[in-house]
Amino acid sequence: MTAQAAFAQSNKGCSDAPVLKERGQREVFCGLTGIVWLHRKIQDAFFLVVGSRTCAHLIQSAAGVMIFAEPRFATAIMEERDLAGLADANDELDRIVGQLLERRPDIKLLFLVGSCPSEVIKLDLSRSAERLSARHSPAVRVLNYSGSGIETTFTQGEDACLASLVPELALESADSDKSLLVVGALADVVEDQFRRLFDSLGIGPVAFLPPRRSSELPSVGPHTRYLLAQPFLGDTARALEERGAKRLNAPFPLGAEGTTAWLRAAADAWGIDGDRFEAVVEAPRTRARKALEPHRFRLANKRIFFFPDSQLEIPLARFVSSELGMNPLEVGTPYLHREHLGSELAQLRSDIVLSEGQDVEKQLDRCRTSSPDLVVCGLGLANPLEAEGIATKWSIELLFTPIQGYEQAGDLAELFARPLVRRTKLEV
Amino acid sequence: MQLTLWTYEGPPHVGAMRIATAMDRVHYVLHAPQGDTYADLLFTMIERRDQRPPVTYTTFQARDLGGDTAELFKTAAKEAFDRFQPEALMVGASCTAELIQDDPGGLAAALQLPVPVVPLELPAYQKKENWGAAETFYQMVRRCAASHMPAGDWQRPARDPGRQPRCNLLGPSALGFRHRDDVTEITRLLDALGIDVHVVAPLGARPVDLARLGEADFNVVLYPEIAKTAADWLARTFKQPATTVVPIGVGATEDFIREVAEIAEIDPTTALASHQSRLPWYSRSVDSTYLTGKRVFIFGDATHAIAAARIAKDELGFEVVGLGTYSREFARDVRAVAKELGLEPLITDEYLEVERAVADAAPELVLGTQMERHIAKRLGIPSAVISAPIHVQDFPARYAPQMGFEGANVIFDTWVHPLMMGLEEHLLGMFREDFEFHDGAAPSHLSHGGASEPISVEVPLEPSSNADVMPLWAEDAERELKKIPFFVRGKARRNTEAFATERGLTAITLETLYDAKAYYSR
Ligand code: SF4
Ligand code: SF4
C-alpha cells in the first residue's frame, strides 16, 4: 500500500475516540528540558534560565553529559536576597547578562527562559528582554520565553522558544513566490536530507525554523507554506498563522510512509505531479521499507504502552502500528492537539485507549494490568518497570536521536526492537 | 542571583529525597510542579534503583495557582497515604511551592493521619542538597524518637559489663558515594572489635528503628554532612557520645578504632595489630617509588576531600597541590587541613573557578567528583572520583567500599591505576620513533575514542596573572620538552618557566631548560 493510499483512507480511526482525561501526578519534565537540544541546534544562541537551583539541577540531570566546560546554557539562580527585595531582580539580571555576554562574545542571540519561580514572583522577562536588547543591540538580540513547569511540559519548551522567534522573522517581500518553511528542531543530518529531497522535487525556496545560526532566520508572510516536523508546536503554528503563513496538513515524517505523506503534502502544494514525486522518493522509500523489514518481523503483534512524555506518542503509535504491525494498548500524551494530529489519529485503531494528562499511579496500575510487551516511558519509570519484568524504551532518546526521514526509519524501529532483542539474549 | 553552569549540589528537597529513598516505609509528599519529578531519575538511573523513590509530587500548574493548590496538596497526601500505607509521612515544598506558602505541614496535620507526619522546612533559596539531607534526617530522628526521650537531667547509666557495647551507624543514604559498601565494611570492623551495630540509619531504617536509636551506647557518624545535626541532638538528648574520625584511609581507620575503643571502653590492641590492609606494603614496594611527589589536586565534599588529603600525603607520598570543597557548611575543617599543608583552600561551588584552579595547579592527578573528572579529562590529566556528585559508573557492581582497611585497598587501586597507565604509556612512548607511535597519539586511557588531542575547552581559560611576563619557548627547547614523559612534562614546564621568570629571562632556550633542571634537582 502506498503512503498516499494509507493516509488517504477515509477510515476515521481514532479521530473521534473518547479520550481519558486524568488529573493527578504528572511524571513529565518541564519545558526547560528543550534547552538540551535547542542549544545544540542554534549554534550562536545562549539560553539563560532565570530560576532556582532546582531548574539548574534539572537541566544538568537531563543533559546527563558534561562535554563542554562552558555549555551555551546557564541558570541565573535566584537567592533569598532577590526574593526579599533586597536586590532588585532587574538590576541583578542586567548584571548577570552583562557578565555573560562579556565572557561569550560569540553569542548573538540570548534567550531569557522563564521558570516556575520567576513566574510565581511575576518577574516580567519580556520587559527585561526588551531592555537588554536595547542595551546590547546590534551585537546581541535578547528574547524570552517560558519553560516553566507550571506552564509547559517537556517539548512545549521548544514550542515556546520557536514561538518567541516568530515575531523576529522578517516579512517576506511582497513579490516573493511561494516558499516552504519546515518548523521544528531536526538533527542537522536530517535537515540536510530533507533539503536534498525538496530540491530534487523542485520545491523551494526551503527554510528551517529554528535555523542553525540566528543570522539565518527565515522570512515569513502570506506566501509562506509551513510543514510541521514535530507534533508539539501549537503556539508556534498559531504565531506563524498570525504572520499569514499557511500550514500544510500532513502527518509527521516518521517511518517510510509517514515521511512520504509528509513530503507529499509539500509536493501537492507545489503542484508536483505523481510521476516526478515517485521518481524522487522511490529509492529512499524502498531503502526505508527494507530497513524496517527485519524489525517488523520482530515487533509485529507486540503490545506497546505509551506513557505521556514528549507529545510524540501519537505519531509514534501510528508508526509502530501501521509500519511495524505493533499493537498499541494505551497511548498517553501530555496534551492532545487534535488539529495537528488529525491525520495520525485517523490511522490509529479505534479501540486504543487515548489518554491526556496523567495520574501516574493509576496509569501504572493500568499498564501492569494490560501486561504490555514494551512500555515507552520517562527515565524515572524505566528501571522500576524493568525490575517488574516489563521491557521499556526511554522516551527521551526519541528526542536526542535523529529519527525523522527515510534514512532514519530503520534506526527508529531499532529503538523499539533493541530492548526486546536484548531480553532474548540475556540468560541471567 | 548567581550565574551557574553546573551545580555540585541539587536543591535541599533532593537531600530530603535521599533520606526518604534510603529509608523503608516512609513516603514524602512534595508540593512541586511537574518538572521537579526529574529528580526520580537520579535514583532510578544513576543509582539503578529498582523502585521509584517513595515520593508523590502534587504537580500543580499555573491554572491551579488562582484556585486551590492547598486542596490539591491535601488530596495528593491523602491518596499517597492510602496507596502506600507508610509508617511516617514526610511533607514539604520545593522552591516554587515555597513561594506560594501553602503550609504543607499544617495541611497534612489537618488530615489526621494515623502515623507521624514530619513537616520539612527546607529554604530552597538559601540552602542546598546536603543541608537538606541533614535537616531531614534530624527532623525524622527527632520526630520518631520523641516518645522515648528521657528527662533533661537523665544520665546514661554505665553499660552492663555482661553486654557487648552497641552503636548506631549514622549517615548512609541513597545516592551516596559507596555508602552501602562502607556500611558493610564498618559493620565488619566493629564486629571484630566486639561491638554490635544496633541501628543503621537512614539507609534501610524504618521509622520504628529511628525510635530505637537511643538504646545504643554511642553513635558512629560515617558522613558528617548528613548525620552530624542528628548526632548532636542524640548526644544532647540521649547522652550518646559520637565518633569524630571518619575511617577513610589506613591512618584514619586506625584512629577510628582507637576512638571507638575509648568510647566503648574496650581494648583496641588486637584489632590494630591484626589489620589487613595491603596499602602500606604496596606503597612501600619499589614499584611505587615513582609515586613519590606526584602532584595531586583534591576537591569534593569536606569529608572525602579531607580524608583524601591525608591518604595522598601520608600513605602514598604524593604532594597535595590543591585542596578544596563545595560544602560551605564544613569549610572550616577543610581550611584547617589546607593550612597544615600550606595551601590556600578553595571553598567554592563555582565549577569554572575549580577548573581554573586545576589548570593553574598543573597537577599530575586529580581526585574529585564527576565534575573534576570531566575537567581532568579535558585537560588530559589522569583522575579518580572520590566524592559525590557521582555518575552511574560510581555505583560499581563489585564490592568497593572507601572506608576501613578494604576501603584503603580499593583507594590504592583506584588512584594508582590511572598513574600506572601513565607510566605504561611512557614506556610505549620510548618507541615513539617507531611508525606506530607518534607524540600526538593520546594515552589510550585518557580519552574515549582515542582522539588525538584532549577535548579542548570551548572558551580559553583566563590567562594566569603573570602571562604578560611569561618567557617564550625557543623551538629547540620546546622540542626537547616533548621528549620528557608526559606525566612529568607539566611539572618540567612549570619549573622551567618559574626559573626563567625569576631570572627575568624573556626566552627559554635548551640551555635554560637544563639549567632549570639542575637547579630543581639540587
Ligand atoms: S559516559 Fe559520558 S557522562 Fe558518563 S562518565 Fe563517560 S563521559 Fe561522562
Ligand atoms: S518545574 Fe519549574 S521549578 Fe521545576 S525545574 Fe522546571 S521550571 Fe524549574
Side-chain angles (χ1 to χ4, degrees):
Chain A
M1 181 167 41
T2 67
Q4 294 99 301
F7 279 95
Q9 274 178 358
S10 61
N11 168 12
K12 286 167 69 198
C14 244
S15 310
D16 302 323
V19 175
L20 176 63
K21 294 203 182 185
E22 286 198 304
R23 292 222 48 199
Q25 176 177 326
R26 292 164 159 256
E27 183 86 15
V28 189
F29 291 167
C30 58
L32 296 185
T33 323
I35 292 171
V36 177
W37 61 89
L38 287 167
H39 91 281
R40 309 283 308 132
K41 184 71 205 177
I42 318 176
Q43 292 158 15
D44 56 358
F46 194 101
F47 294 79
L48 180 65
V49 177
V50 183
S52 65
R53 183 165 299 280
T54 317
C55 307
H57 204 227
L58 165 117
I59 304 176
Q60 174 168 336
S61 309
V65 281
M66 297 174 31
I67 312 157
F68 305 105
E70 295 209 27
R72 273 179 292 102
F73 57 78
T75 309
I77 296 186
M78 296 193 278
E79 293 163 319
E80 198 61 20
R81 308 170 47 238
D82 304 301
L83 300 175
L86 293 177
D88 182 87
N90 291 312
D91 293 348
E92 284 290 288
L93 192 56
D94 292 4
R95 176 179 64 79
I96 284 192
V97 167
Q99 195 183 325
L100 185 75
L101 293 178
E102 196 177 319
R103 221 190 147 82
R104 302 297 303 261
D106 51 324
I107 298 307
K108 301 282 174 273
L109 175 61
L110 173 67
F111 289 101
L112 303 178
V113 188
S115 67
C116 305
S118 78
E119 277 161 24
V120 169
I121 67 166
K122 303 204 158 42
L123 195 59
D124 187 346
L125 291 184
S126 65
R127 286 189 41 204
S128 310
E130 261 172 46
R131 184 180 66 240
L132 286 161
S133 245
R135 178 171 313 168
H136 296 284
S137 77
V140 185
R141 186 167 6 190
V142 185
L143 301 177
N144 79 289
Y145 72 88
S146 166
S148 83
I150 54 175
E151 294 281 3
T152 62
T153 77
F154 200 12
T155 49
Q156 279 178 309
E158 176 174 332
D159 188 21
C161 173
L162 299 191
S164 80
L165 279 172
V166 174
E168 299 298 304
L169 306 183
L171 181 64
E172 65 190 8
S173 59
D175 57 348
S176 61
D177 277 344
K178 201 162 48 181
S179 69
L180 180 65
L181 183 62
V182 177
V183 187
L186 293 168
D188 289 354
V189 52
V190 176
E191 206 176 286
D192 292 341
Q193 290 165 10
F194 284 151
R195 205 180 271 286
R196 285 196 295 271
L197 283 167
F198 288 128
D199 274 356
S200 319
L201 286 167
I203 295 171
V206 181
F208 290 80
L209 185 71
R212 295 183 198 183
R213 304 196 63 81
S214 63
S215 51
E216 295 159 11
L217 278 177
S219 53
V220 69
H223 298 109
T224 307
R225 300 290 170 272
Y226 70 96
L227 260 182
L228 293 178
Q230 299 283 10
F232 40 73
L233 299 173
D235 287 352
T236 309
R238 205 168 310 124
L240 285 168
E241 302 277 342
E242 276 165 21
R243 300 283 313 264
K246 291 182 192 57
R247 185 171 72 89
L248 300 178
N249 193 23
F252 293 90
L254 299 173
E257 316 312 322
T259 303
T260 305
W262 187 75
L263 291 170
R264 182 72 250 179
D268 287 346
W270 260 256
I272 311 294
D273 69 41
D275 289 347
R276 171 148 192 209
F277 185 79
E278 277 303 311
V280 171
V281 305
E282 153 85 77
R285 186 181 56 204
T286 308
R287 242 189 338 260
R289 285 179 179 161
K290 230 189 197 136
L292 291 175
E293 202 56 46
H295 299 298
R296 178 164 41 236
F297 177 72
R298 286 190 198 102
L299 293 171
N301 298 319
K302 296 275 189 229
R303 298 142 56 81
I304 184 169
F305 191 109
F306 288 87
F307 276 79
D309 203 42
S310 61
Q311 295 192 55
L312 279 163
E313 293 81 10
I314 289 172
L316 286 172
R318 193 279 305 159
F319 166 72
V320 299
S321 57
S322 72
E323 301 196 33
L324 297 172
M326 293 183 83
N327 182 3
L329 303 170
E330 173 166 341
V331 182
T333 178
Y335 286 105
L336 182 57
H337 199 297
R338 282 196 176 276
E339 198 191 332
H340 291 177
L341 289 165
S343 32
E344 302 280 359
L345 286 169
Q347 292 293 307
L348 289 180
R349 268 194 2 255
S350 57
D351 60 342
I352 290 173
V353 178
L354 279 185
S355 61
E356 183 181 15
Q358 191 175 27
D359 181 327
V360 70
E361 306 296 350
K362 290 191 186 137
Q363 197 166 28
L364 280 166
D365 291 344
R366 288 200 299 278
C367 175
R368 292 181 185 111
T369 316
S370 66
S371 64
D373 298 301
L374 185 65
V375 171
V376 181
C377 62
L379 292 173
L381 299 177
N383 264 337
L385 285 171
E386 291 279 353
E388 290 180 28
I390 301 173
T392 59
K393 167 78 236 118
W394 330 331
S395 42
I396 200 162
E397 208 176 349
L398 297 160
L399 282 146
F400 293 172
T401 316
I403 57 169
Q404 292 81 4
Y406 289 128
E407 314 305 339
Q408 284 65 237
D411 302 344
L412 175 56
E414 214 263 311
L415 288 179
F416 294 98
R418 196 184 309 156
L420 297 173
V421 170
R422 179 159 180 75
R423 294 189 148 233
T424 64
K425 289 190 189 291
L426 295 182
E427 300 257 353
V428 293
Chain B
M1 281 181 200
Q2 194 200 355
L3 184 63
T4 306
L5 304 181
W6 305 105
T7 72
Y8 283 90
E9 293 182 74
H13 72 258
V14 168
M17 286 182 68
R18 292 177 54 188
I19 304 302
T21 307
M23 287 187 68
D24 212 6
R25 322 259 180 110
V26 301
H27 201 85
Y28 182 22
V29 180
L30 185 64
H31 209 13
Q34 61 189 347
D36 293 10
T37 60
Y38 80 88
D40 284 356
L41 81 87
L42 303 173
F43 300 89
T44 62
M45 295 304 289
I46 295 181
E47 200 175 1
R48 297 183 210 254
R49 284 195 168 253
D50 59 1
Q51 282 180 21
R52 292 162 62 212
V55 181
T56 294
Y57 306 79
T58 56
T59 63
F60 57 84
Q61 296 175 273
R63 60 164 188 239
D64 302 317
L65 290 179
D68 208 346
T69 47
E71 204 46 50
L72 194 67
F73 180 87
K74 280 166 83 173
T75 313
K78 180 77 177 66
E79 286 181 3
F81 177 78
D82 292 344
R83 179 177 280 266
F84 298 103
Q85 297 284 311
E87 289 171 0
L89 193 71
M90 297 160 46
V91 298
S94 77
C95 53
T96 308
E98 184 180 329
L99 299 172
I100 60 178
Q101 298 183 327
D102 272 338
D103 182 21
L107 294 170
L111 292 174
Q112 307 222 307
L113 299 175
V115 295
V117 171
V118 184
L120 300 172
E121 307 237 344
L122 310 174
Y125 299 91
Q126 295 171 28
K127 303 291 190 183
K128 289 179 278 188
E129 179 179 332
N130 278 342
W131 183 89
E135 175 68 11
T136 302
F137 184 47
Y138 161 63
Q139 293 294 348
M140 287 297 287
V141 166
R142 242 194 109 136
R143 181 58 202 267
C144 297
S147 53
H148 301 252
M149 261 165 69
D153 56 358
W154 177 79
Q155 287 305 319
R156 178 165 287 277
R159 166 169 62 90
D160 168 2
R163 168 175 74 70
Q164 286 218 43
R166 57 180 174 230
C167 67
N168 303 310
L169 296 191
L170 303 183
S173 69
L175 264 190
F177 182 56
R178 309 290 166 83
H179 287 193
R180 187 164 317 200
D181 293 348
D182 284 348
V183 167
T184 308
E185 186 63 19
I186 295 307
T187 304
R188 276 187 202 155
L189 184 84
L190 291 166
D191 187 51
L193 280 165
I195 296 171
D196 289 336
V197 171
H198 187 58
V199 172
V200 177
L203 193 64
R206 287 169 54 177
V208 289
D209 296 322
L210 298 188
R212 299 190 296 121
L213 284 171
E215 296 164 8
D217 301 313
F218 66 101
N219 289 311
V220 167
V221 177
L222 290 182
Y223 309 100
E225 275 87 349
I226 293 168
K228 186 153 188 315
T229 319
D232 286 349
W233 181 80
L234 289 166
R236 285 195 303 276
T237 312
F238 291 98
K239 310 289 184 292
Q240 285 172 314
T243 57
T244 57
V245 180
V246 177
I248 302 180
V250 174
T253 301
E254 288 171 349
D255 289 351
F256 173 79
I257 292 175
R258 284 187 206 100
E259 185 181 36
V260 162
E262 194 183 318
I263 297 176
E265 296 170 334
I266 55 167
D267 181 8
T269 332
T270 348
L272 286 171
S274 66
H275 96 50
Q276 64 287 61
S277 175
R278 294 191 187 90
L279 184 145
W281 167 240
Y282 272 44
S283 223
R284 288 192 148 78
S285 70
V286 290
D287 185 74
S288 296
T289 316
Y290 77 96
L291 298 176
T292 315
K294 285 273 173 220
R295 301 166 53 83
V296 44
F297 189 99
I298 300 170
F299 194 85
D301 68 15
T303 300
H304 289 88
I306 290 171
R310 178 170 176 186
I311 300 169
K313 176 171 160 292
D314 296 344
E315 301 179 14
L316 294 169
F318 291 162
E319 185 194 349
V320 180
V321 295
L323 176 65
T325 184
Y326 57 84
S327 328
R328 288 188 190 273
E329 289 89 354
F330 290 81
R332 206 163 38 147
D333 304 342
V334 175
R335 283 207 180 91
V337 176
K339 199 168 164 212
E340 276 173 38
L341 293 167
L343 293 171
E344 190 56 44
L346 178 64
I347 313 294
T348 183
D349 55 1
E350 276 194 45
Y351 176 77
L352 290 177
E353 208 176 311
V354 180
E355 169 147 28
R356 213 150 37 229
V358 174
D360 285 350
E364 294 160 276
L365 177 68
V366 174
L367 301 173
T369 72
Q370 270 297 330
M371 319 267 262
E372 285 66 46
R373 197 182 72 81
H374 281 89
I375 291 174
K377 197 150 106 182
R378 268 193 299 277
L379 298 175
I381 305 170
S383 69
V385 172
I386 59 159
S387 158
I390 42 187
H391 202 51
V392 62
Q393 72 202 39
D394 301 310
F395 291 91
R398 67 177 191 283
Y399 180 62
Q402 294 289 290
M403 292 188 173
F405 295 121
E406 183 57 24
N409 293 340
V410 169
I411 286 172
F412 183 92
D413 288 349
T414 23
W415 297 8
V416 169
H417 175 78
L419 293 169
M420 286 262 255
M421 296 300 285
L423 184 68
E424 193 176 297
E425 295 298 335
H426 175 60
L427 296 178
L428 287 175
M430 296 203 322
F431 301 98
R432 90 169 73 242
E433 302 306 320
D434 294 17
F435 71 94
E436 293 100 325
F437 300 101
H438 55 95
D439 200 46
S444 56
H445 66 292
L446 290 182
S447 60
H448 279 336
S452 59
E453 285 294 318
I455 302 165
S456 60
V457 180
E458 264 196 347
V459 156
L461 297 165
E462 279 166 24
S464 56
S465 49
N466 58 348
D468 39 342
V469 293
M470 191 64 91
L472 283 176
W473 283 79
E475 208 184 302
D476 55 346
E478 185 87 48
R479 237 190 342 260
E480 195 75 2
L481 185 69
K482 285 202 179 140
K483 296 181 191 157
I484 297 173
F486 78 88
F487 50 87
V488 284
R489 201 179 297 153
K491 190 182 192 170
R493 179 186 284 278
R494 279 167 35 95
N495 284 352
T496 312
E497 283 169 359
F499 178 86
T501 312
E502 258 169 43
R503 282 158 190 73
L505 303 177
T506 52
I508 294 174
T509 61
L510 209 52
E511 211 60 6
T512 325
L513 178 67
Y514 283 110
D515 283 348
K517 182 167 189 296
Y519 175 81
Y520 282 103
S521 59
R522 278 181 316 178

